[in-house]
Amino acid sequence: MEARESSAQGGDEMASRDDAELPDGSQDNSSFETAGLQRSLSAIDRQYAAQPEQPRRIHILGTGSIGKLVAHSLRGIANPPPISLIFHRYRLLEAWEQSKKQITIQDDDFDVSRGGYDVELMSEVRRQHGVELENGQPSVYDFPDEVRPHEAAKLLAQQRKENAALQQQQLESGEQDTQFPPSRDERKRRPGKGDYAISHEPIHNLIVTTKAAYTVPALSAIKHRLGPTSTVCFLQNGMGVIDDVNKHLFPHEADRPNYVQGILTHGVNVPPELAERDPFFAVHAGHGTIALGLLPRSGIKQTTITGQDGAADTHHVQTELWAPSARYLLRTLTRTPVLCAVGFTPTELLQQQLEKLAVNSVLNPLTALLDARNGALLHNFALTRTMRLLLAETSLVIRSLPELAYLPNVPTRFSAARLETLVISVAHKTQDNVSSMLADVRAGRRTEIEYINGYIVRRGEEVGVKCVVNYGIMQTVVGKCMVTQREGQDAVPMVGVAGLNV
C-alpha cells in the first residue's frame, strides 16, 4: 500500500483547530460551551462557526466512473484532503500496482492525470439471500436438495441469533463454554494475496458511489470501521438505499453513522474499448451539479403550535446539530469547483430526489427494454402513452407521501403534466446518450430498477396506491437482465482463439 501523505504534502490528516492551546500551556475550555453557543446562533452562523479537530482523510467506495470523477476532482483543489480508494476486487488492486497509480479524466479532448491516492482492499464478505455468512459456514447452496436456498439462509440466520444469545447468557453468568464456536474475528482465515492492503482503521468520511443494488454488500465489509461519528455520503441513483442500510447493517440508531445524500447530474462514462486497458480512465462527457443534503440523526420532528386565533400551525423542527464529520465533508465537496456541489435542506433535497426519480423511472426502464438511446422516446405516441401511464401512478404516489403533506406547491410541482415535461426535456438534452440501466442490461449486470420503479411501488403500497404499471415494467427489466445473463453464460469465449481477440 502506498505510504500515507506526510504533513508537508497534504497537511496533517486533522482539520485545522480553531480553539488553540493558550500561551501559558493550559487548554482552552471554550469547546465545552460550543454546543450551547451554537444553539443560540442562527442557521447561517452555525454553518460557519468554528469546528473542533476533525480527521481529513476521505475514503471512496466504488471506483466506477462517478467514483473516479469525485476522487480526481478532490485531488485538484487547494490543500486537497488525503484520499483512500477502496477496491472490491484484488484484480483492481493488482492493476493499480502495475499502473502509474493515477486517475485520468478526459474533458473536452484533454486528458488530465492526478495521483497521490492511497489504496485499500475490501475484505471478503459472503452474503447470500440477505444473510452474511461467516468464515467456515456452508453456502446456502450446500444444503440438501429438499432445503431451498432462501430457507437455508433463514436457518443460518436463526442459528447465529441463537449462538449470540447463548454467548451473551454465558458472559452474564460468568461461565465460558470451550465448545462454543469462535466468532468471525477470532476464526483464522486463509491468507490472501491482497491482505497487505486490507485496513481496519476507523473511517470518518466515506463517499459511496457504487450501484444502489450493491451498497449493502459493499458496506458489509467495512461496517466495523464506521461509527456514530462517521459520515457516509451516498452519490447514487434511486431512493431507499439508506432504508436498506439501516435495516441490514445498522438496526440500532445509536450505532448508525451520519448520512449525506447527493443528487448528481454529471455525465461520466468509460469507453468499453478502454475499460480493460486502463480501468482508471473516464470521460467527463457532461458537466452538471451535485445537490447535497445532510440528514438529521433523529430526523425532523413535526410540531404543532396553536396560535391566538385557535388555528393549528404545523412546523418541522430540526432537533439535532450536524456532526463535525458531516459538516467537514459537505464543506470539502462544495469547495471543489469541478463538482459544482451545493447544499440544500433535507426537505428540498427530498423533492429534488423525487423529481429525478420520476424522470429515471421512465427513461431508464423504457430505453433498457427498447435497447435504444434516450432520444428514441421522443415523437413516438405509443411510447408517450406508456410514459403517461407510468407518470400517472408516480405522481399520485408522490403527492400522497406524508413527508410532503404540509409543503406548499406539491400538487403542482409533482403533477403528471409537469413530470412529463421534465422527462421530455431530459430525453431531448440527452437524446444521444445510453442510459446507465441500458448499459447494465447489455453487460448482464444487476440494474437499479428496484430502487427506482421498485421504490415507487413500495411507497405506493404504504399510501394505498397499487402501481401495477411500475411493477410490470420493473419485473420486465429484471427478466430481460436475467435473459442477458444466461446468454452470456452460454456464450463461447472468443479471446485468443486462432490469434483473434474479438
Side-chain angles (χ1 to χ4, degrees), residues 255-482:
D255 301 330
R256 293 173 185 169
N258 304 280
Y259 297 132
V260 177
Q261 283 190 305
I263 306 173
L264 189 140
T265 60
H266 289 273
V268 193
N269 62 79
V270 179
E273 63 273 11
L274 297 179
E276 291 293 334
R277 188 174 62 189
D278 187 1
F280 308 104
F281 177 90
V283 178
H284 194 183
H287 288 258
T289 61
I290 299 180
L292 299 172
L294 307 179
L295 303 187
R297 288 191 62 87
S298 58
I300 297 180
K301 293 187 178 180
Q302 187 173 294
T303 304
T304 302
I305 302 176
T306 304
Q308 295 180 355
D309 56 355
D313 188 13
T314 303
H315 297 273
H316 297 274
V317 181
Q318 178 186 322
T319 59
E320 294 290 339
L321 296 176
W322 307 122
S325 59
R327 192 185 301 272
Y328 163 74
L329 192 56
L330 177 62
R331 286 180 172 180
T332 304
L333 290 172
T334 52
R335 76 182 181 94
T336 306
V338 176
L339 298 180
C340 294
V342 182
F344 291 91
T345 62
T347 303
E348 175 59 28
L349 183 75
L350 173 63
Q351 296 180 77
Q352 294 189 29
Q353 283 182 300
L354 292 171
E355 286 181 342
K356 184 177 181 181
L357 183 78
V359 173
N360 288 341
S361 68
V362 174
L363 287 180
N364 284 9
L366 291 186
T367 55
L369 294 176
L370 296 171
D371 197 7
R373 298 179 184 269
N374 294 347
L377 303 184
L378 301 173
H379 314 298
N380 189 321
F381 190 65
L383 295 179
T384 301
R385 288 178 171 177
T386 305
M387 179 194 310
R388 289 174 177 172
L389 288 174
L390 284 168
L391 293 178
E393 291 181 351
T394 302
S395 173
L396 181 57
V397 170
I398 294 177
R399 288 184 285 112
S400 304
L401 293 178
E403 301 96 309
L404 307 180
Y406 299 96
L407 298 179
N409 203 36
V410 167
T412 303
R413 182 172 184 174
F414 295 101
S415 64
R418 182 177 181 274
L419 295 180
E420 181 180 349
T421 302
L422 291 177
V423 172
I424 295 175
S425 175
V426 174
H428 180 73
K429 293 178 181 178
T430 63
Q431 57 183 336
D432 295 328
N433 294 359
V434 174
S435 67
S436 59
M437 188 171 294
L438 173 57
D440 290 338
V441 169
R442 286 176 174 177
R445 295 187 297 261
R446 184 178 176 182
T447 68
E448 297 175 313
I449 189 71
E450 296 174 355
Y451 293 90
I452 300 177
N453 299 77
Y455 180 82
I456 298 172
V457 173
R458 291 193 300 273
R459 297 310 304 269
E461 293 176 352
E462 295 176 5
V463 298
V465 178
K466 293 184 178 180
C467 301
V468 293
V469 181
N470 278 275
Y471 183 80
I473 291 290
M474 178 183 68
Q475 294 299 323
T476 307
V477 172
V478 173
K480 181 171 184 178
C481 189
M482 294 176 63

Side-chain angles (χ1 to χ4, degrees), residues 21-22 67 83 85 117 120 126 136 186 193 217-218 228 248 284 358 433 439 441 464 466 473-474 492 501:
E21 190 175 292
L22 297 178
I83 296 178
L85 307 176
Y117 305 97
E120 298 177 4
R126 293 189 304 160
E186 298 170 345
K193 296 180 180 179
H248 298 288
H284 194 183
N433 294 359
V441 169
K466 293 184 178 180
I473 291 290
M474 178 183 68
V492 178
N501 191 355

Side-chain angles (χ1 to χ4, degrees), residues 19-28:
D19 48 343
E21 190 175 292
L22 297 178
D24 59 358
S26 61
Q27 201 72 312
D28 187 359

